Amino acid sequence: MTHPCDLLITNVKIATMQDNGVPYGLIESGAVAVHNGKIVYVGESTKCRYKTNNIIDGSEYLLTPGLIDCHTHLVYGGDRAGEFEQRLQGVSYADIAKAGGGIKSTVKATREAGFDTLFNAAAKRATCLLKEGVTTVEIKSGYGLDLDTELKMLEVANGVGEYLGINVSTTYLGAHALPPEYQNNPDGYIDFVCSTVMPKVAEGQYATCVDVFCESIGFTPEQSQRVFEAAGKLGLKVKAHVEQLSDLKGAVLASQYNALSVDHVEFMNPSDVPSLTKSGTVAVLLPGAFYYLNETQKPPIDAFREHNVPMAVATDLNPGSSPMASLLTAMNMASVFFGLTPEEALAGATVNGAKALGLVTKGVIATGMDADMCLWDVSHPCELAYAINQHRPEQIWIGGKHVVV
Ligand code: NIG
Ligand code: FE
């Protein structure tokens, strides 16, 4: 007996990224059936009992889940190419920030930019990601810091998703830097974040997550904790920039609030890693920022492996520490700099990226999951992390719909 479906992809190798005991969850000669935007069959072609007129011959190419970039700041005004030049002359990222540059200079440019300017620039960056197979992208606010600009950034982010037909997951990052209005009053600013902005973000469903920059040039663990407390009361999920430049134990703190992810984590002490296992928190690796800041301290990868902490890989696309709109390059860097296997790198941009966003229907090719998939002209999935700027998907589907980029 056969069942009808909307789309049938046959004659493909499938990196399902399911944990089925085979590397990459690979199926050598497979088929995938899609109905109503969901995957209804994945397995051997010969055993598929689905039928449709809409059949795609996969030409023995490789099918993967759509890529997931789980950490970006791609909505912003202006650029920071001048700071790049300063850093090349030896001025540090932290010193630029302390002198009023860095995130604060992007805040000024973002406040001054109109909605359309922000939207067009953000759509262009998101298109670069989509062309490489990114079907889900997380986008943070955090360059407005006042109520109106933060909400404007989140509206732009959600609008870009609708415009491009790409899944966008939005995060409110009010505690990113101290705005000029609150100079010398960081606790007053945290009050404003928790009592004024977060309730509006939650009520208007502008974002599903809240993030903080817990760092000497950001906010203290105590201030971060107040944000986490408020998030819990409003039903917003927690993510955190921690241990990027120093070890303030932000990851342990975030894990106590069941954070979805802790991001950067270069300075995380291996002895703190078990706290993440307990809370099911994902370690998000951001090798683009590591590269641009010429960092030498590497995240505790062996401890993550030993304690079964899922590792995600993301671009951190932003104007300062990581102006890099390429998730495949981030995967390559995670392998070269941090020693991830190509399989771990692909898991970082698929199944573990989904976990870092709390998305339970994305990141693997399995029955019941959203039909977000890419078809690549490669003979083995390890090629995706191996090559730089050599691969673009031949085909992309989001929610079962074929996307033309
Ligand atoms: O993830 N660390 C804080 N936030 C961003 C940098 C933002 C910026 O420099 O504009 C990051 O690296
Ligand atoms: Fe970031």
Side-chain angles (χ1 to χ4, degrees), residues 13-57:
K13 215 174 256 183
I14 310 169
T16 65
M17 303 314 285
Q18 283 196 84
D19 193 4
N20 61 2
V22 184
Y24 300 91
L26 204 66
I27 296 172
E28 280 295 339
S29 182
V32 170
V34 174
H35 199 56
N36 292 333
K38 298 277 183 190
I39 295 166
V40 289
Y41 176 83
V42 50
E44 304 294 324
S45 287
T46 48
K47 294 186 188 146
C48 183
R49 297 287 168 264
Y50 281 87
K51 245 182 100 176
T52 176
N53 291 331
N54 187 17
I55 300 178
I56 306 281
D57 179 350

Side-chain angles (χ1 to χ4, degrees), residues 71-73 140 173 176 211 241 263-264 286 316 318 321:
H71 180 140
T72 84
H73 310 246
K140 301 174 196 296
L173 175 56
H176 196 197
D211 197 342
H241 286 70
D263 303 40
H264 289 289
L286 304 170
D316 196 12
N318 76 66
S321 64

Side-chain angles (χ1 to χ4, degrees), residues 363-387:
V364 297
I365 297 183
T367 306
M369 304 296 276
D370 296 343
D372 299 347
M373 298 175 291
C374 296
L375 188 69
W376 309 84
D377 178 9
V378 302
S379 51
H380 192 276
C382 76
E383 289 177 51
L384 296 176
Y386 149 76

Side-chain angles (χ1 to χ4, degrees), residues 317-346:
L317 173 50
N318 76 66
S321 64
S322 191
M324 178 176 84
S326 172
L327 187 54
L328 291 178
T329 307
M331 287 162 56
N332 172 269
M333 288 177 164
S335 294
V336 173
F337 291 146
F338 301 158
L340 262 62
T341 64
E343 186 182 2
E344 286 173 326
L346 185 58

